[in-house]
């Protein structure tokens, strides 16, 4: 268990809108470009972070690449660069429409959208309930999946053995549950939940966590604050 503490601070000094985007649920660096993942559309954007205004190049992932209503959105939340250079983008798995994986080649923008239902089924069974995958970190034997818990005790890191090109089978290798602490809410403390993860060059794992005042993996709530750990 950990207790949130203030050890760093930041201040927004400038804001640069990205035309044609509405959300930023995932961000992956590839050389000098940033891949922006949106949770409500089958479309990603390559950003030049040094351009002013920000220049974006969009990649449509299907015939309907516009914004989708909540019940139909893919909920792409977790993204990471694989050892072979491709980018893996994962749906959260919090609803039947949110169980797709995207594999994208940054060199050509060629992509494949895969049904990863068996992976989400295995993770849900291992956790004993609803899931909400918010972060992914590639490992030599598979993936580390960061499950966001909207209630105390729900946060977990699940190590799975899986082939990203063929997610029809999945082996649960380890499950570690985490208490990330909580932030003060209006009427009660609100637990922190994983929202993203990354592995540094030294092997250290870093995570983002937010305190969202909701106990449901689909229903939104007020975000009271975020931490880095």
């Amino acid at each position: 268990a950990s207790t949130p503490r203030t050890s760093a601070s930041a201040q927004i000094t400038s804001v640069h809108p990205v035309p044609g985007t509405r959300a930023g649920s995932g961000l992956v660096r590839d050389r000098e470009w940033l891949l922006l993942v949106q949770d409500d559309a089958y479309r990603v954007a390559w950003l030049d972070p040094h351009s002013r205004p920000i220049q974006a190049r969009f990649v449509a992932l299907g015939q309907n690449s516009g914004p989708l209503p909540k019940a139909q959105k893919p909920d792409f939340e977790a993204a990471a660069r694989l050892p072979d250079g491709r980018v893996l983008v994962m749906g959260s798995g919090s609803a039947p429409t949110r169980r797709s994986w995207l594999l994208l080649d940054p060199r050509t923008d060629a992509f494949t959208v895969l049904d990863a239902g068996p992976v989400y089924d295995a993770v849900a069974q291992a956790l004993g309930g609803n899931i909400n995958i918010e972060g992914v970190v590639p490992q030599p034997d598979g993936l580390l999946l960061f499950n966001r818990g909207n209630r105390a005790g729900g946060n977990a890191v699940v190590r799975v053995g899986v082939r990203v090109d063929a997610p029809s089978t999945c082996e649960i290798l380890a499950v570690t549950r985490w208490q990330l602490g909580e932030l003060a809410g209006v009427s009660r403390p609100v637990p922190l939940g994983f929202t993203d993860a990354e592995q540094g060059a030294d092997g250290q794992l870093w995570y983002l966590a937010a305190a969202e005042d909701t106990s449901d993996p689909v229903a939104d709530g007020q975000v009271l604050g975020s931490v880095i750990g």
Side-chain angles (χ1 to χ4, degrees):
S2 62
T3 300
R5 57 189 176 88
T6 301
S7 57
S9 61
Q11 182 177 1
I12 296 174
T13 59
S14 60
V15 176
H16 304 280
V18 181
T21 63
R22 296 159 307 283
S25 58
L27 200 62
V28 178
R29 177 177 289 277
D30 183 76
R31 293 159 292 184
E32 296 302 314
W33 291 82
L34 294 175
L35 182 69
L36 176 71
V37 177
Q38 301 182 96
D39 64 353
D40 66 346
Y42 284 96
R43 185 171 76 160
V44 295
W46 286 107
L47 309 181
D48 177 1
H50 305 293
S51 61
R52 295 294 184 270
I54 298 292
Q55 299 298 309
R57 177 171 57 84
F58 293 94
V59 180
L61 307 175
Q63 292 183 344
N64 184 4
S65 60
L68 294 171
K70 190 167 187 174
Q72 300 176 19
K73 71 177 187 176
D75 204 33
F76 288 137
E77 292 287 351
R81 185 172 178 176
L82 299 172
D84 63 10
R86 291 180 298 172
V87 175
L88 168 66
V89 180
M90 298 177 56
S92 67
S94 58
T97 56
R98 303 176 178 187
R99 292 152 57 104
S100 295
W101 286 10
L102 165 69
L103 288 171
L104 176 71
D105 186 340
R107 296 175 294 275
T108 63
D109 284 342
F111 67 89
T112 304
V113 178
L114 303 170
D115 177 8
V119 178
Y120 295 102
D121 288 339
V123 174
Q125 183 176 6
L127 295 179
N130 295 327
I131 62 172
N132 190 1
I133 305 302
E134 293 276 338
V136 57
V137 175
Q139 298 289 281
D141 57 355
L143 303 169
L144 284 179
L145 304 181
F146 287 71
N147 185 73
R148 176 179 180 176
N150 290 84
R151 56 178 61 86
N155 291 294
V157 179
V158 184
R159 186 161 63 94
V160 299
V162 63
R163 289 178 52 203
V164 295
D165 292 289
S168 57
T169 60
C170 171
E171 180 183 3
I172 303 297
L173 301 177
V175 176
T176 307
R177 296 186 182 271
W178 291 90
Q179 296 284 354
L180 304 179
E182 54 192 20
L183 299 181
V186 176
S187 59
R188 61 181 177 84
V190 176
L192 288 155
F194 287 126
T195 61
D196 213 336
E198 181 61 276
Q199 188 166 31
D202 59 356
Q204 183 85 5
L205 287 171
W206 294 84
Y207 68 84
L208 296 177
E212 184 179 9
D213 195 2
T214 177
S215 60
D216 188 282
V218 177
D220 296 326
Q222 181 183 7
V223 177
L224 303 174
S226 303
V227 302
I228 299 174

